[in-house]
Short mmCIF file of all heavy atoms in Angstrom, two decimals:
data_model
loop_
_atom_site.label_atom_id
_atom_site.label_comp_id
_atom_site.label_asym_id
_atom_site.label_seq_id
_atom_site.Cartn_x
_atom_site.Cartn_y
_atom_site.Cartn_z
N ASN A 5 89.28 107.80 132.14
CA ASN A 5 87.87 108.01 131.80
C ASN A 5 87.60 109.45 131.40
O ASN A 5 86.60 109.75 130.77
CB ASN A 5 86.97 107.62 132.97
CG ASN A 5 87.01 106.13 133.25
OD1 ASN A 5 87.37 105.35 132.38
ND2 ASN A 5 86.64 105.74 134.45
N LEU A 7 89.65 111.26 129.50
CA LEU A 7 90.21 111.53 128.18
C LEU A 7 89.17 111.26 127.11
O LEU A 7 88.40 110.31 127.20
CB LEU A 7 91.44 110.65 127.94
CG LEU A 7 92.63 110.90 128.85
CD1 LEU A 7 93.71 109.85 128.60
CD2 LEU A 7 93.21 112.27 128.65
N ILE A 10 89.03 108.63 121.03
CA ILE A 10 89.30 108.86 119.62
C ILE A 10 89.51 107.49 119.00
O ILE A 10 90.46 106.78 119.36
CB ILE A 10 90.55 109.74 119.41
CG1 ILE A 10 90.36 111.09 120.11
CG2 ILE A 10 90.83 109.92 117.93
CD1 ILE A 10 91.60 111.94 120.17
N THR A 13 92.91 105.10 118.57
CA THR A 13 94.05 105.64 119.32
C THR A 13 94.14 104.99 120.69
O THR A 13 93.15 104.52 121.24
CB THR A 13 93.94 107.17 119.51
OG1 THR A 13 92.80 107.46 120.30
CG2 THR A 13 93.86 107.90 118.19
N PHE A 16 98.05 107.80 126.00
CA PHE A 16 99.15 107.48 126.91
C PHE A 16 98.81 108.12 128.26
O PHE A 16 99.07 109.28 128.50
CB PHE A 16 100.49 107.98 126.37
CG PHE A 16 101.65 107.46 127.18
CD1 PHE A 16 102.10 106.16 127.00
CD2 PHE A 16 102.26 108.25 128.13
CE1 PHE A 16 103.15 105.66 127.75
CE2 PHE A 16 103.32 107.76 128.89
CZ PHE A 16 103.76 106.47 128.70
N TYR A 25 106.51 100.82 131.31
CA TYR A 25 107.70 101.35 131.98
C TYR A 25 108.99 100.70 131.47
O TYR A 25 109.93 101.39 131.08
CB TYR A 25 107.59 101.20 133.50
CG TYR A 25 108.78 101.74 134.22
CD1 TYR A 25 108.96 103.11 134.39
CD2 TYR A 25 109.77 100.89 134.70
CE1 TYR A 25 110.07 103.62 135.04
CE2 TYR A 25 110.90 101.39 135.34
CZ TYR A 25 111.04 102.75 135.51
OH TYR A 25 112.15 103.25 136.13
N ASN A 28 109.70 101.61 127.75
CA ASN A 28 110.12 103.00 127.58
C ASN A 28 111.49 103.26 128.19
O ASN A 28 112.28 104.02 127.63
CB ASN A 28 109.06 103.94 128.16
CG ASN A 28 107.78 103.88 127.35
OD1 ASN A 28 107.80 103.87 126.13
ND2 ASN A 28 106.65 103.81 128.03
N ASN A 35 119.58 106.56 123.85
CA ASN A 35 120.27 107.84 123.73
C ASN A 35 121.78 107.62 123.63
O ASN A 35 122.50 108.45 123.10
CB ASN A 35 119.96 108.75 124.92
CG ASN A 35 118.61 109.39 124.80
OD1 ASN A 35 118.19 109.79 123.73
ND2 ASN A 35 117.91 109.49 125.91
N SER A 36 122.23 106.49 124.16
CA SER A 36 123.66 106.16 124.16
C SER A 36 124.00 105.26 122.96
O SER A 36 123.36 104.23 122.74
CB SER A 36 124.01 105.42 125.46
OG SER A 36 125.20 104.69 125.32
N ASP A 38 126.53 103.37 122.68
CA ASP A 38 126.95 102.06 123.20
C ASP A 38 125.74 101.16 123.42
O ASP A 38 125.78 99.96 123.11
CB ASP A 38 127.73 102.22 124.51
CG ASP A 38 129.11 102.81 124.31
OD1 ASP A 38 129.63 102.80 123.16
OD2 ASP A 38 129.69 103.28 125.31
N ARG A 40 122.78 101.43 121.88
CA ARG A 40 122.23 101.07 120.57
C ARG A 40 123.02 99.91 119.97
O ARG A 40 122.45 98.97 119.41
CB ARG A 40 122.24 102.27 119.63
CG ARG A 40 121.28 103.38 120.06
CD ARG A 40 121.13 104.46 119.00
NE ARG A 40 122.36 105.16 118.68
CZ ARG A 40 122.79 106.27 119.29
NH1 ARG A 40 122.10 106.79 120.30
NH2 ARG A 40 123.91 106.86 118.90
N ALA A 49 118.95 89.48 124.47
CA ALA A 49 119.61 89.71 125.76
C ALA A 49 119.33 91.12 126.25
O ALA A 49 119.10 91.34 127.45
CB ALA A 49 121.11 89.48 125.64
N MET A 51 116.69 92.98 125.61
CA MET A 51 115.31 93.05 126.10
C MET A 51 115.17 92.39 127.46
O MET A 51 114.47 92.90 128.33
CB MET A 51 114.35 92.42 125.08
CG MET A 51 114.18 93.25 123.82
SD MET A 51 112.88 92.65 122.72
CE MET A 51 113.61 91.16 122.03
N GLN A 59 104.61 90.50 125.27
CA GLN A 59 103.91 91.41 124.34
C GLN A 59 104.88 92.48 123.84
O GLN A 59 104.93 92.78 122.65
CB GLN A 59 102.71 92.06 125.04
CG GLN A 59 101.97 93.04 124.15
CD GLN A 59 100.94 93.88 124.90
OE1 GLN A 59 100.97 93.99 126.12
NE2 GLN A 59 100.03 94.47 124.15
N ALA A 63 106.50 92.84 119.99
CA ALA A 63 106.33 94.08 119.23
C ALA A 63 107.68 94.63 118.78
O ALA A 63 107.80 95.14 117.66
CB ALA A 63 105.58 95.11 120.08
N ARG A 65 110.37 92.78 118.20
CA ARG A 65 110.82 91.88 117.13
C ARG A 65 110.12 92.20 115.81
O ARG A 65 110.73 92.12 114.75
CB ARG A 65 110.54 90.43 117.51
CG ARG A 65 111.44 89.89 118.58
CD ARG A 65 111.13 88.40 118.85
NE ARG A 65 111.51 88.06 120.20
CZ ARG A 65 110.67 87.82 121.21
NH1 ARG A 65 109.37 87.83 121.01
NH2 ARG A 65 111.14 87.54 122.40
N ARG A 67 108.94 95.08 114.97
CA ARG A 67 109.16 96.48 114.58
C ARG A 67 107.82 97.15 114.27
O ARG A 67 107.70 97.94 113.35
CB ARG A 67 110.08 96.62 113.36
CG ARG A 67 111.35 95.79 113.38
CD ARG A 67 112.35 96.32 114.39
NE ARG A 67 113.67 95.75 114.17
CZ ARG A 67 114.25 94.85 114.96
NH1 ARG A 67 113.62 94.39 116.03
NH2 ARG A 67 115.45 94.40 114.70
N ASN A 68 106.79 96.80 115.07
CA ASN A 68 105.44 97.26 114.81
C ASN A 68 105.06 98.34 115.82
O ASN A 68 104.86 98.05 117.00
CB ASN A 68 104.47 96.08 114.87
CG ASN A 68 103.07 96.47 114.48
OD1 ASN A 68 102.45 97.31 115.11
ND2 ASN A 68 102.57 95.84 113.42
N LEU A 70 102.30 100.16 116.20
CA LEU A 70 100.99 100.04 116.84
C LEU A 70 101.01 99.02 117.97
O LEU A 70 100.41 99.23 119.02
CB LEU A 70 99.92 99.69 115.81
CG LEU A 70 99.62 100.78 114.78
CD1 LEU A 70 98.58 100.31 113.77
CD2 LEU A 70 99.18 102.07 115.45
N GLN A 71 101.73 97.92 117.77
CA GLN A 71 101.86 96.93 118.84
C GLN A 71 102.67 97.49 120.00
O GLN A 71 102.38 97.22 121.17
CB GLN A 71 102.53 95.66 118.31
CG GLN A 71 101.66 94.85 117.39
CD GLN A 71 102.41 93.65 116.80
OE1 GLN A 71 103.53 93.34 117.17
NE2 GLN A 71 101.78 92.98 115.86
N LEU A 72 103.69 98.28 119.69
CA LEU A 72 104.50 98.90 120.74
C LEU A 72 103.67 99.89 121.57
O LEU A 72 103.79 99.92 122.80
CB LEU A 72 105.73 99.59 120.14
CG LEU A 72 106.80 98.63 119.61
CD1 LEU A 72 107.77 99.36 118.70
CD2 LEU A 72 107.53 97.97 120.77
N GLY A 77 104.09 101.62 124.98
CA GLY A 77 105.14 102.48 124.45
C GLY A 77 104.69 103.92 124.29
O GLY A 77 103.57 104.19 123.89
N ASN A 78 105.58 104.83 124.61
CA ASN A 78 105.35 106.27 124.43
C ASN A 78 106.01 106.67 123.11
O ASN A 78 107.17 106.32 122.86
CB ASN A 78 105.97 107.02 125.60
CG ASN A 78 105.84 108.52 125.47
OD1 ASN A 78 106.48 109.13 124.63
ND2 ASN A 78 105.00 109.09 126.32
N LYS A 84 113.17 106.83 119.55
CA LYS A 84 114.58 106.47 119.80
C LYS A 84 114.86 105.05 119.28
O LYS A 84 115.90 104.79 118.71
CB LYS A 84 114.90 106.60 121.28
CG LYS A 84 114.79 108.04 121.76
CD LYS A 84 115.04 108.14 123.24
CE LYS A 84 114.79 109.53 123.76
NZ LYS A 84 115.42 110.61 123.03
N ALA A 86 113.08 103.53 116.85
CA ALA A 86 112.98 103.58 115.39
C ALA A 86 114.25 104.17 114.77
O ALA A 86 114.66 103.75 113.68
CB ALA A 86 111.76 104.40 114.99
N ASP A 95 108.03 107.91 109.05
CA ASP A 95 107.95 106.45 108.88
C ASP A 95 106.98 105.87 109.91
O ASP A 95 106.16 104.99 109.59
CB ASP A 95 109.33 105.80 109.06
CG ASP A 95 110.29 106.12 107.95
OD1 ASP A 95 109.99 105.83 106.79
OD2 ASP A 95 111.37 106.69 108.25
N SER A 104 101.92 104.31 102.81
CA SER A 104 103.35 104.36 102.52
C SER A 104 103.86 105.69 103.06
O SER A 104 103.08 106.61 103.34
CB SER A 104 103.60 104.27 101.01
OG SER A 104 103.19 105.49 100.39
N GLU A 107 102.73 108.47 100.75
CA GLU A 107 101.31 108.76 100.93
C GLU A 107 101.07 109.56 102.22
O GLU A 107 100.28 110.50 102.25
CB GLU A 107 100.48 107.47 100.97
CG GLU A 107 100.41 106.73 99.65
CD GLU A 107 99.85 105.33 99.79
OE1 GLU A 107 99.99 104.70 100.86
OE2 GLU A 107 99.27 104.85 98.79
N PHE A 108 101.77 109.17 103.27
CA PHE A 108 101.64 109.87 104.55
C PHE A 108 102.12 111.32 104.43
O PHE A 108 101.47 112.24 104.91
CB PHE A 108 102.41 109.13 105.64
CG PHE A 108 102.25 109.75 107.00
CD1 PHE A 108 101.06 109.62 107.71
CD2 PHE A 108 103.28 110.46 107.59
CE1 PHE A 108 100.90 110.20 108.96
CE2 PHE A 108 103.14 111.05 108.84
CZ PHE A 108 101.94 110.91 109.53
#
Side-chain angles (χ1 to χ4, degrees):
N5 293 339
L7 296 173
I10 301 170
T13 64
F16 190 78
Y25 180 77
N28 293 317
N35 282 321
S36 160
D38 288 342
R40 293 190 298 270
M51 289 188 288
Q59 178 191 18
R65 288 183 206 108
R67 314 288 195 252
N68 186 299
L70 293 177
Q71 289 175 7
L72 289 164
N78 178 289
K84 296 177 186 311
D95 291 302
S104 71
E107 291 168 331
F108 183 74

